[in-house]
Amino acid sequence: MTTPMQEQYNKIKEKYKDYILLFRLGDFYEAFHNDAEVLSRILGITLTGRGKNEDRIPMAGIPCHALNNYIPRILEHKLKIAIADQLEEPKPGKLVNREVTRIITPGTITDDKLIEDSKNNFIASILVENVSKQDKYHFSLAYSDITTGEVYEFVGDNLISLQKEILKVNPSEIIIEKSCYLMISNILENFFINQLDDEYVTLEEALQIIKSTFSVYDIRSLGLTEGNYLSIKSLATLLKYFNDVQKKNLEYIKFLKRYDYHKTMQLDYQTIKNLEIFDSQNKQISLYDVINKCQNPMGKRLLRKRIQRPFKDSEI
């Protein structure tokens, strides 16, 4: 027999099928059914149950006060988390109102304790268009660090340059429409991919989202025109996804940086790796480790960017 609490859980889970749903029950966040089995396996926590005999439901719980200790371990298994909190104080004989108040994915972590302070935690949005039968593509790659409000955009006309830029940015999460994913899935291996429905954002919606987010009347002030529809939609997809996940307007996102790649050296991923600029293959000290004397996370991230994209002109 299904209880009112189980019905409430099932209703919320229906909306978040692809997420690990953590359901607040008193001092614990509980997972049920397959979610509980997954958490028990990857976190090494006890799998218990609710109910008896054939009605018994698998169940696994995380103490509320220790949630941040478990979140990174869940995300590293390429899983998404939805947290359903209690919205009112429990009263005897009354079902507590619960709703999802937070969604956590690898690219939308905002807690400083959960991310590395020396580099940006980027999330990227990709939109690709096949423009000829000879496999010629146009694309737009928009990416951002949700914790700092930085938003960048890069466009190109071949998949090799797209692949190089993705490897360089190294986003924690990539969001992409399903039809686009099918076209370029072979260059997205080893990344956390979040596939969205096609037309997640229409062009008309995209224009309004960009104008509203950046508080502009005309998108030309951002270096965009309505003819740049790939750029407009990839950027708006990123912004809409932020709002959907965070469940609030990100008012601190106020600027868009469109890179002028002619003004910087283009160090590709393989060059950066071979020169051991950021990571040493033998776990020795890297170039970045040697020159990094920055005292705060902002300085560390800025230094990383300057090394990754050195200016050609010393006067810049």
Side-chain angles (χ1 to χ4, degrees):
M1 180 179 177
T2 303
T3 66
M5 189 277 289
Q6 289 170 334
E7 290 178 356
Q8 183 185 57
Y9 171 86
N10 292 338
K11 186 176 180 180
I12 296 174
K13 181 62 179 177
E14 182 66 23
K15 295 180 181 179
Y16 297 92
K17 294 179 180 177
D18 298 332
Y19 293 76
I20 295 292
L21 177 59
L22 298 179
F23 192 77
R24 180 74 179 263
L25 285 178
D27 294 330
F28 282 78
Y29 284 110
E30 299 287 355
F32 299 97
H33 301 291
N34 184 64
D35 287 356
E37 294 174 354
V38 170
L39 288 190
S40 175
R41 183 174 67 254
I42 67 176
L43 300 179
I45 59 179
T46 303
L47 183 67
T48 60
R50 191 181 187 93
K52 296 181 179 180
N53 302 324
E54 67 273 6
D55 294 327
R56 187 172 176 79
I57 298 172
M59 178 176 170
I62 296 172
C64 295
H65 71 272
L67 179 62
N68 282 350
N69 297 331
Y70 290 98
I71 286 175
R73 295 167 61 187
I74 297 173
L75 295 179
E76 72 183 16
H77 285 82
K78 299 186 177 182
L79 298 169
K80 300 176 291 184
I81 305 168
I83 298 177
D85 274 311
Q86 297 176 172
L87 303 184
E88 59 186 357
E89 290 296 322
K91 296 179 181 179
K94 183 177 182 294
L95 178 66
V96 177
N97 185 25
R98 295 179 178 86
E99 288 183 10
V100 170
T101 57
R102 293 172 63 195
I103 293 175
I104 305 173
T105 66
T108 58
I109 302 172
T110 56
D111 191 328
D112 291 339
K113 297 176 182 178
L114 302 179
I115 53 180
E116 187 177 339
D117 67 358
S118 65
K119 61 182 180 181
N120 289 98
N121 185 46
F122 285 124
I123 176 173
S125 167
I126 303 173
L127 198 64
V128 183
E129 179 185 44
N130 186 199
V131 294
S132 76
K133 294 181 180 179
Q134 286 74 41
D135 289 332
K136 184 176 177 60
Y137 295 87
H138 287 165
F139 70 85
S140 171
L141 169 68
Y143 58 96
S144 176
D145 183 335
I146 195 172
T147 64
T148 63
E150 300 166 85
V151 183
Y152 303 94
E153 198 247 343
F154 171 56
V155 296
D157 58 8
N158 67 81
L159 297 188
I160 294 176
S161 60
L162 173 60
Q163 184 179 38
K164 287 182 177 179
E165 191 63 18
I166 292 173
L167 289 170
K168 187 186 296 185
V169 173
N170 192 27
S172 299
E173 179 177 357
I174 295 174
I175 55 176
I176 185 169
E177 292 183 353
K178 292 177 181 177
S179 59
C180 293
Y181 175 77
L182 293 174
M183 284 191 279
I184 61 171
S185 58
N186 60 312
I187 69 170
L188 299 178
E189 295 179 358
N190 301 320
F191 287 97
F192 181 91
I193 309 297
N194 209 340
Q195 295 186 54
L196 306 176
D197 291 335
D198 290 343
E199 293 300 313
Y200 176 73
V201 177
T202 66
L203 184 58
E204 183 178 353
E205 291 172 333
L207 289 168
Q208 293 304 314
I209 289 171
I210 292 173
K211 290 178 181 178
S212 174
T213 301
F214 295 104
S215 301
V216 298
Y217 176 75
D218 192 327
I219 62 172
R220 285 179 294 183
S221 63
L222 299 172
L224 297 169
T225 67
E226 293 196 15
N228 302 129
Y229 66 93
L230 286 179
S231 296
I232 292 168
K233 287 192 65 175
S234 67
L235 177 59
T237 294
L238 193 63
L239 298 173
K240 183 177 187 294
Y241 184 75
F242 281 167
N243 284 335
D244 289 347
V245 169
Q246 294 293 304
K247 297 186 177 295
K248 61 182 178 181
N249 291 325
L250 303 178
E251 297 178 354
Y252 56 88
I253 293 182
K254 292 299 180 185
F255 73 92
L256 169 66
K257 175 76 173 181
R258 303 191 82 205
Y259 271 117
D260 184 345
Y261 285 82
H262 299 292
K263 293 182 180 180
T264 61
M265 289 180 60
Q266 297 308 304
L267 303 179
D268 61 31
Y269 169 77
Q270 203 59 47
T271 299
I272 292 172
K273 180 179 178 181
N274 291 342
L275 292 178
E276 300 186 351
I277 293 176
F278 297 114
D279 297 293
S280 173
Q281 296 178 18
N282 296 318
K283 296 185 178 180
Q284 301 297 317
I285 197 166
S286 67
L287 171 64
Y288 176 79
D289 295 327
V290 171
I291 65 177
N292 175 27
K293 305 299 180 184
C294 300
Q295 300 300 307
N296 58 50
M298 290 184 291
K300 294 175 183 178
R301 293 168 184 170
L302 180 59
L303 176 61
R304 182 179 286 267
K305 290 176 195 171
R306 292 292 183 260
I307 297 173
Q308 196 174 54
R309 292 185 173 87
F311 289 125
K312 292 180 180 179
D313 186 350
S314 62
E315 299 300 319
I316 295 179

